[in-house]
Structures are given as C-alpha cells and as structure tokens.
Amino acid sequence: MLQMMLNSFIRTFLNGFKSLMLHKLRAGLAMLGILIGVTAVIWLVALGEGVSYQAQQQIKDLGATNIIIKSVKPANSAPKSMGAFFIEYGITRDDFERIRTIPTVWRSVPLRDIHKEARFQDRTCDVRFIGCTSDYFEINHLTMERGRFITDRDGLDRDNVCVIGNETAKHLFPYEDPIGRAVKIDNDFYVVIGLTASRLPSAAIGGSLEGRDYNTDIYLPLPTFRARIGDQVFTAKAGGREGEIIQLNQITVTVRHIDQVEQTADLIKTQLERFHKTPEYAVVVPKELLRQAEMLQMMFNALLVVIAGISLVVGGIGIMNIMLATVTERTREIGIRRALGAKRRDIISQFLAETVVLTGTGGALGMACGYLCSPVTEAVRWMLQNWFSDVWKSLPLHLQAVEPMFAAWSFFVAFGISVVVGVAFGLYPARRAAMMDPIEALRHE
C-alpha cells in the first residue's frame, strides 16, 4: 500500500514536470520570479546581519557591555578610622578581586583618580590624575599621538612614568616635545612616556557613562598611584579639612554579550551587599544602550520580514497567473481526464504538483544564487572604490567594512516559504480546474 502511494506520488510529480516542459519559456519565467524572491531573502538577511553586527559593535563600543561600579560617599557618613579626620568608604581592592572571579566577567578595569595640579618648570595645569591599568586604554578607546601607554610591567616595578592628555601637553609643553620630560605632581616627578591624541569630550562612552574630557587627564600605573599618592585624600571644608580613605574610585566590568549585562550586574550587587553594610557604592548599568541595541535588532528583523514577504508574494502572484493561464489552455484535457474517471483530488494533485515543481526548482536555484552575495558585494565595493571614489569616501567607515553574514536558517526558511507560497497561490487555480463540469470542459475549443 505504501509502495503504491509512493509510486503515485512520484508519477504525479513526473507528469507535472513533463507538462511544464511543454512551455519551457513560461515555466522558466515563473521560476525566475521565485528564484529572485528567494535570492533576495538570503541576500537581505546576510547583508542585514552584517549591518546589524556592525551596529551592535558600535553600540558595544559606546559601553553597552560595560557595568560601572563607583564609590559613593554615604549620606551622614562619620569617620571610621585614623582619628576624627578620616572617613573611609567605597569599593576596595578585595571587591575588585571578588568581582573579577564572576564567570560572566570578561574584563575588569580598576581606577583611582584625584584632581591635582601638574607642574613643568613655571607652567601649571589642573589635571585629573588617574591610576589605572593597561586595559583602560582599550576600554575607553584612546589613541596615542606619540609614545606608548602604560603597561602592566610599569605597574610591577612601580615606575614613576605617566601618559598625558593632549590639552595637558599644550599647557605644560607648548614649545617642547613632552616625551622623556618629567612632570611634577606634589613632590614627585613622573617621566612622560606617551601623549594621547586629541578627542572630543564625550558622554555615555566607554568606561565612564558620564561626561568626560580625556584631553586633560594624566595616567600612571595603579600600583605607582598607590605607592606615591596612597588611599588618603584631604579635601578642604569650611572651618578646616576633612580626610577620606578610598581604595578605588571605580571598577569597569565588561562582559562578552549584551544579554549577560543585567545578570552580571545582579551578581555584582549580591557580592557587594555581603561586604558593605552601608550604601557606599553604585552599580551603573547602561540600560538605555541595552534598549537601543534591542530596538535596533527588532527594527532590522521587522524590515527583513516585510521585504522578504513582499518579494515572495510578488513571485507567488506570478505563479498564480501562470497556473490560471495553464488551466484555461488545458480545459479540454481536464474534461477528458474527468470523463475517463479522474477524481477532483487527482486534478488538484496534478496542478499542485506542477506548482510545487515550479517553486521548488526556483527555490533551489535561489538558494544556490544566495551564495553569490559575497562576490557581488566585493564587486560593488570595488566599483565604488575605483569608479565612484567620492561616493565611497562619503560612506561611514563601518558601512565600508560591512561583510555579508550568512545565516543558515535563511536558506531553509526562504526555500520553505517559496514552496508554501507556491502551494497557497497554486491552490486556487488547481481547485478551479477540479471544479470544472466535464461536459462543458469537453466542449471547450
């Protein structure tokens, strides 16, 4: 019984294929519509994934995968150590060691900063004096104009070296090359080993998530900061001075994927709550950037679905048009088959088989053409670079670097949709053929 059903199924499709071959050009044009539709879906998804990836990387660069842990002075804080002058609060080096062991944490960057006056000869400049590690350079997307940034080896040796910002260099070294010269801060001298390139003040970028002017910073190794400056800070108050003990001002934690941010932030809060009885810290999660990333992904997906749907519906309309014409041309054939005993379901099966052959063949060819997206993209890129250089230069760098990213599901989904569209749009012509009166069909000329 199963063998008979299988033979009937194969025979139906072979008959459908033979019928289509009687009108090769018409069948080819119908398949071309499906081919273009399937190819368009695959290309759009591949390019959309590439553009989405670039956009996601930009959002990540803005700090969407960063979690900021800051020291916050508690309200109504009272001195806790070293007499009545010092107040100790904030995140500690032990907190940093515990946080970095959380499994989802990819990178953690500690920071200690203080506002100081830098001096070179008779020139002075107010700067933000920052003790950090080598990862600070990457997480804040700094670039070097000259020299190098601090390294972990500088921290191991507690070298008196520093890297200065562009504006700081202009104030302290308007006529000299700062590399190799020594900047005085308090009673210590720090040899300048690097100069960061100028950049615009920024907000919600990198490891800060607040307005920052990196051009007035001076960076030195965190162990050197601890050895030379220490944890104690004096601040002027009305009627005297107040001292503070702060081990770290900030820890910037980076995770690999955006969907790990909120989970990791919750784990960090749990860790800190165990060792801090007062609210002397703040965990800042870039929720706005996270929502922006999610919204961007949803927009891309919606756009792809709409365009893919339109392209395949257009191909389906072409299939319906062809099959309606075929039914009209083969009216007499349908009448003869009905007169010889063919049932309505046999007629429907025959025409649906022809439709599936059309859409399946077109879909398979479309899947093969989908792989041409990469070479076509490279060809378009080459043409823009060589023939339309002005247009090419006007494009954003991230758009110039877009590469198609093939999604395996897009091939199968596009093929499946093409077959479903073929069946959906072929059902009406097949049913119309099956519902014909055999006598009227036989009279048709």
Side-chain angles (χ1 to χ4, degrees):
M1 181 67 178
L2 182 62
Q3 185 65 34
M4 291 178 60
M5 291 177 62
L6 182 62
N7 290 337
S8 175
F9 181 78
I10 294 173
R11 186 165 56 253
T12 299
F13 272 87
L14 288 176
N15 289 336
F17 183 77
K18 290 177 182 178
S19 298
L20 291 174
M21 288 300 97
L22 297 174
H23 304 280
K24 296 183 179 66
L25 180 60
R26 186 167 65 188
L29 291 175
M31 282 190 292
L32 182 62
I34 296 297
L35 183 153
I36 292 174
V38 171
T39 303
V41 171
I42 296 172
W43 284 26
L44 285 170
V45 170
L47 291 172
E49 287 288 325
V51 173
S52 177
Y53 175 79
Q54 291 288 344
Q56 294 284 344
Q57 289 303 115
Q58 285 184 284
I59 292 175
K60 287 182 180 181
D61 290 344
L62 291 175
T65 55
N66 290 344
I67 302 166
I68 313 299
I69 306 102
K70 292 184 174 184
S71 292
V72 176
K73 185 176 180 179
N76 302 321
S77 56
K80 295 182 356 182
S81 63
M82 298 188 65
F85 295 102
F86 284 89
I87 300 170
E88 184 176 359
Y89 67 91
I91 49 180
T92 66
R93 286 179 283 272
D94 289 337
D95 291 330
F96 172 72
E97 294 300 329
R98 286 188 288 264
I99 287 171
R100 68 191 302 185
T101 62
I102 295 175
T104 52
V105 171
W106 170 49
R107 178 175 59 193
S108 52
V109 182
L111 178 148
R112 180 78 170 88
D113 67 346
I114 188 173
H115 288 277
K116 288 282 187 179
E117 182 182 78
R119 178 181 295 272
F120 177 74
Q121 295 178 356
D122 60 341
R123 294 185 287 269
T124 61
C125 179
D126 289 329
V127 299
R128 187 167 177 255
F129 203 45
I130 299 175
C132 58
T133 62
S134 58
D135 288 333
Y136 186 88
F137 179 82
E138 182 179 352
I139 204 170
N140 286 283
H141 312 291
L142 301 174
T143 55
M144 299 302 298
E145 183 174 312
R146 276 177 297 200
R148 65 174 178 85
F149 200 71
I150 57 176
T151 64
D152 294 335
R153 180 58 185 269
D154 296 326
L156 289 175
D157 297 336
R158 290 177 171 78
D159 293 337
N160 275 29
V161 295
C162 70
V163 175
I164 63 176
N166 199 272
E167 283 298 317
T168 301
K170 290 179 181 178
H171 282 91
L172 298 180
F173 306 98
Y175 312 111
E176 302 96 339
D177 183 355
I179 304 299
R181 300 184 182 274
V183 174
K184 184 179 180 181
I185 296 178
D186 292 338
N187 296 318
D188 295 309
F189 290 88
Y190 300 87
V191 178
V192 178
I193 60 173
L195 170 64
T196 60
S198 177
R199 59 177 290 180
L200 294 174
S202 56
I205 290 180
S208 177
L209 295 179
E210 62 182 17
R212 280 290 317 280
D213 186 359
Y214 295 90
N215 297 319
T216 59
D217 292 344
I218 292 184
Y219 310 101
L220 72 159
L222 185 58
T224 303
F225 189 105
R226 184 184 178 190
R228 303 291 180 266
I229 306 297
D231 298 337
Q232 303 173 19
V233 178
F234 283 100
T235 56
K237 292 286 185 181
R241 295 194 302 170
E242 181 184 86
E244 297 179 342
I245 299 177
I246 305 174
Q247 294 188 21
L248 295 173
N249 291 95
Q250 179 178 299
I251 301 172
T252 302
V253 169
T254 304
V255 297
R256 291 189 179 276
H257 303 289
I258 289 178
D259 55 8
Q260 296 175 333
V261 170
E262 294 187 346
Q263 172 196 359
T264 305
D266 291 338
L267 291 174
I268 291 172
K269 290 177 183 177
T270 302
Q271 283 274 23
L272 293 175
E273 287 170 358
R274 292 175 55 192
F275 298 94
H276 295 266
K277 303 305 180 184
T278 57
E280 53 190 7
Y281 60 85
V283 179
V284 183
V285 179
K287 291 186 177 180
E288 187 63 32
L289 290 177
L290 295 178
R291 300 291 89 80
Q292 184 179 351
E294 293 173 0
M295 184 61 67
L296 183 66
Q297 188 66 48
M298 290 174 59
M299 289 172 61
F300 270 111
N301 291 339
L303 179 64
L304 293 175
V305 168
V306 170
I307 296 177
I310 291 173
S311 61
L312 285 173
V313 166
V314 170
I317 293 173
I319 292 290
M320 177 183 282
N321 188 37
I322 293 296
M323 295 311 297
L324 285 173
T326 301
V327 169
T328 301
E329 290 179 356
R330 295 164 62 184
T331 300
R332 188 172 181 82
E333 174 194 332
I334 294 169
I336 293 173
R337 290 194 64 191
R338 290 295 309 279
L340 293 175
K343 299 179 180 179
R344 286 178 176 175
R345 67 169 178 267
D346 297 323
I347 304 298
I348 291 176
S349 298
Q350 178 188 352
F351 280 91
L352 280 181
E354 293 181 18
T355 305
V356 171
V357 168
L358 275 175
T359 56
T361 305
L365 293 174
M367 291 173 66
C369 292
Y371 286 102
L372 296 177
C373 185
S374 290
V376 169
T377 302
E378 288 299 322
V380 171
R381 183 179 288 119
W382 182 87
M383 290 173 59
L384 289 174
Q385 287 176 328
N386 293 275
W387 297 351
F388 305 98
S389 57
D390 292 338
V391 175
W392 175 257
K393 292 177 182 177
S394 66
L395 295 176
L397 293 177
H398 288 281
L399 192 57
Q400 293 179 6
V402 167
E403 294 290 343
M405 298 180 66
F406 291 106
W409 61 266
S410 65
F411 288 82
F412 298 105
V413 168
F415 180 79
I417 292 177
S418 69
V419 174
V420 170
V421 166
V423 172
F425 281 90
L427 190 60
Y428 174 72
R431 182 173 174 78
R432 181 175 175 180
M435 297 303 292
M436 282 186 179
D437 187 321
I439 298 176
E440 293 297 327
L442 287 171
R443 290 176 180 173
H444 184 79
E445 293 295 337

